[in-house]
Every structure is written in C-alpha cells, then in structure tokens.
Amino acid sequence: MSVPRYPMQPYPTSWYRVADSADVVPGAVKGVHYFGRDLVVFRDERGAPVVADAHCPHLGANLAVGGRIEEGALVCPFHSWRYDGTGRCVGIPYTDRIPQQARLRTYPACEINGVVAVYYDELGRDPEWTVPEIPEYDSTEHWTGHITKIWKIRTHLQEIFDNAADAAHQQTLHAATEILSYDAEPDGVYFRGQFTGTYDAGDGLPEQQAWSRNAYLHAGLGFSQIDSKLDYNGLVIDRQIHSCFTPVDEEHIDFVMYQRTRRLDDDDLTELIHQMTAQHTWRSIEEDIPIWENKVFRPLPSRTAFAGDARPAHLCDKEGDIAKTRHWARQFYTDAACGV
C-alpha cells in the first residue's frame, strides 16, 4: 500500500479563490474544478456570486455544460430544472411537485480584491472571518493595472506557507546575497510578518544589488498579500503582490499571483519596472516549483506520531520560522491528529 505524500487533509478550512470576478459574467455559467469536485459559478438576480456543486441532483447532468441563467436562476440543460442562488429547486417545467431533496449544495461566497472567493469547510460550518480588503484595489490613479500569472502545481497548500517562512532558501534559490531578516507573528486566522534583505538584482536594472522589504499578511491558507518596497540605488519601487492558493484535487493546487506597481513620475519607466519586477517574481516561484513537486513532507518531531511515523524535519536557527507557521496553520485542519 502506498504511503500518502502528505500526512494531512488536502482541503483545509479556509476562503479560496475560485474565479476572477471579471470572468463571472451576469447571465452566464462558469464551470471550475476545485476540492476534487466540479463546481458552477454564476450570478443570481442581484448580481451576487453563487458557487455550487455542478451536478444536478435530479439525474446528474453537469450544469456548467449547456446550463443557462434565466432571471437569476440556474437552469439544467437536461430537463430544465431551475435552481435559485440558495441551491433550492424552484421550478420543474412538467410538474408542480418539487422533491424536497432536490437541492444543490452551495458554498458561502463573496467578492474580494477582484476575485470570487468560496469558504470551504469539510464539516459544513459557516465562516467566522473574512479576507481583508486591499485599499484602492481597482484604482489605476496611483497604481498600474494588475499583471497576473497562474500555475497548477503538484503540491500541498502547506508547502507554500512553509516556503514563505523559510528565510534560508532565499539565498540558495532566489539570489539573496545574505540570510534574510525575518519576523512574523500569528494573529488568529491571520499571520503577519516581514522579511528584509539584499538581492542580486540581475542585468538591466540600475544596480546589481537591490534592497527589499516585504511585509505580508496571510489570511487563512487561501490568500496572501505582500506590500513590497525595492530600492535600486535610490530608485524606490513600491509594489503589491496578491496571491491566491486553491486545492484542485488531492495532488494539485492552483497558485494565482496578481502584481501591481505604484506609479512613478515617468510612465514609461513605471511600465518597464512593472514588467521587469513581475518577471523576477514569477521566476522566483518557478525556481521553487521543482522543489515542491518532488520533495516529501517532513513533520515536526512532535507530530511524527500523526504522520505515519515519517522521518521528522531537523530545523536549525536562521531559517525563519517554519515551526511557528505550522503551529498557526494547524487550526485550519479539521482533523487535529495530522502531521502539520
């Protein structure tokens, strides 16, 4: 019998991105696949986003394949059963008797920072917290537009947060010229911190070394916001990086990154810096991906009993704070006996 690659559930409790707001068009049905299941995303009669299981409870048709929206209701392509934004069947064209069990499973959903987010909890609990709103997220007066990149990665969400706390690998993989200064503290479902240091800036930039300060906020295991300040020999660049992580299935996640840059006095220089720094950030993710996709998970020594007696991680100083991040993350797993 094969040993699971990760000693914890694949779908921790959190808010997760399932679509960009702009892609959920009024009057249209969008199909997505997350949490190992097919889902539909649409807007109800008020324009609010609805996220529901995609398969009709009648005879199992996929509502995203040929389904349509009529007066805010989702209409099945097979027999034209109609479902409202709560998932309740509100009409069958050939009978007035609607089975009480004819209901789509819907999930708490909202729009925040340009995305449609869903709250996924295997126990079916309602959310008690929200993803913080980014000020002026849609403003282009002081900021460039967002530039976006998406990766589908064979890994677990936990690896992303371990990686963010791992200061030492920045020097090995990401051209840091020193071990970064790292400081972070949990704040309930949020995790706030910053890392600071100098990087080899590479060719084409004003100086070969760039000083960087990155203040971040993790909101559950689905969202991370970074306010980044870069200093290239006096040329100071302010950036915002908004990342979303959503489990696709038990083996894969979608990693979506949105970046924008505060405008400089020179529009051409702003766009050049915006594109160049985005490419550098993407490259750093792509340097991590082969590690994530091929590593095994090492539990903390205190958690090996919950991890199939897997060999423990051996941590040392100056690495950041992986242990603190894992202690914080454990609250999002419904199974307390997990190897995080």
Side-chain angles (χ1 to χ4, degrees), residues 5-6 153-156 159-160 162-163 166 169-170 172-174 283-298:
R5 189 168 170 223
Y6 294 103
I153 307 172
R154 182 177 173 266
T155 193
H156 191 284
E159 297 283 14
I160 307 301
D162 282 9
N163 186 276
D166 180 359
H169 91 286
Q170 294 283 336
T172 307
L173 280 184
H174 304 320
R283 187 170 66 229
S284 71
I285 301 301
E286 289 162 2
E287 289 166 343
D288 281 318
I289 289 174
I291 304 293
W292 291 331
E293 293 197 325
N294 292 283
K295 72 186 295 297
V296 296
F297 187 81
R298 297 290 193 206

Side-chain angles (χ1 to χ4, degrees), residues 9 15 41 71 92 103 110 139 164 194 225 238 329:
Q9 68 194 83
W15 284 99
V41 187
E71 298 178 348
I92 300 173
R103 176 178 286 274
C110 71
S139 172
Q194 71 173 14
Q225 303 168 7
D238 289 313

Side-chain angles (χ1 to χ4, degrees), residues 124-173:
R125 297 170 297 186
D126 289 330
E128 296 181 349
W129 57 279
T130 59
V131 177
E133 185 175 357
I134 298 174
E136 298 183 315
Y137 186 83
D138 295 321
S139 172
T140 57
E141 180 181 359
H142 303 296
W143 295 90
T144 64
H146 290 87
I147 187 169
T148 306
K149 181 84 169 179
I150 183 169
W151 300 268
K152 184 177 181 180
I153 307 172
R154 182 177 173 266
T155 193
H156 191 284
L157 294 168
Q158 189 65 45
E159 297 283 14
I160 307 301
F161 292 87
D162 282 9
N163 186 276
D166 180 359
H169 91 286
Q170 294 283 336
Q171 193 171 27
T172 307
L173 280 184

Side-chain angles (χ1 to χ4, degrees), residues 120 129 190 236 278 333 337:
Y120 188 88
W129 57 279
Y190 309 114
V236 178
Y333 295 91

Side-chain angles (χ1 to χ4, degrees), residues 47-178:
V50 178
V51 180
D53 283 343
H55 296 285
C56 182
H58 175 212
L59 285 173
N62 190 324
L63 299 166
V65 182
R68 62 191 186 278
I69 303 298
E70 293 181 355
E71 298 178 348
L74 176 60
V75 182
C76 178
F78 198 11
H79 295 86
S80 294
W81 288 31
R82 301 165 61 89
Y83 299 92
D84 68 11
T86 71
R88 183 171 60 96
C89 182
V90 293
I92 300 173
Y94 44 86
T95 181
D96 293 329
R97 299 183 63 180
I98 299 175
Q100 292 184 352
Q101 291 77 23
R103 176 178 286 274
L104 285 172
R105 180 183 176 182
T106 60
Y107 302 85
C110 71
E111 286 186 270
I112 187 74
N113 302 329
V115 307
V116 173
V118 65
Y119 189 77
Y120 188 88
D121 179 80
E122 291 187 346
L123 302 181
R125 297 170 297 186
D126 289 330
E128 296 181 349
W129 57 279
T130 59
V131 177
E133 185 175 357
I134 298 174
E136 298 183 315
Y137 186 83
D138 295 321
S139 172
T140 57
E141 180 181 359
H142 303 296
W143 295 90
T144 64
H146 290 87
I147 187 169
T148 306
K149 181 84 169 179
I150 183 169
W151 300 268
K152 184 177 181 180
I153 307 172
R154 182 177 173 266
T155 193
H156 191 284
L157 294 168
Q158 189 65 45
E159 297 283 14
I160 307 301
F161 292 87
D162 282 9
N163 186 276
D166 180 359
H169 91 286
Q170 294 283 336
Q171 193 171 27
T172 307
L173 280 184
H174 304 320
T177 62
E178 58 191 345

Side-chain angles (χ1 to χ4, degrees), residues 243-262:
S243 298
C244 306
F245 323 103
T246 310
V248 176
D249 53 35
E250 294 188 2
E251 287 285 326
H252 301 87
I253 68 168
D254 272 356
F255 184 141
V256 187
M257 179 177 284
Y258 308 84
Q259 300 182 68
R260 66 177 180 171
T261 302
R262 186 175 291 278

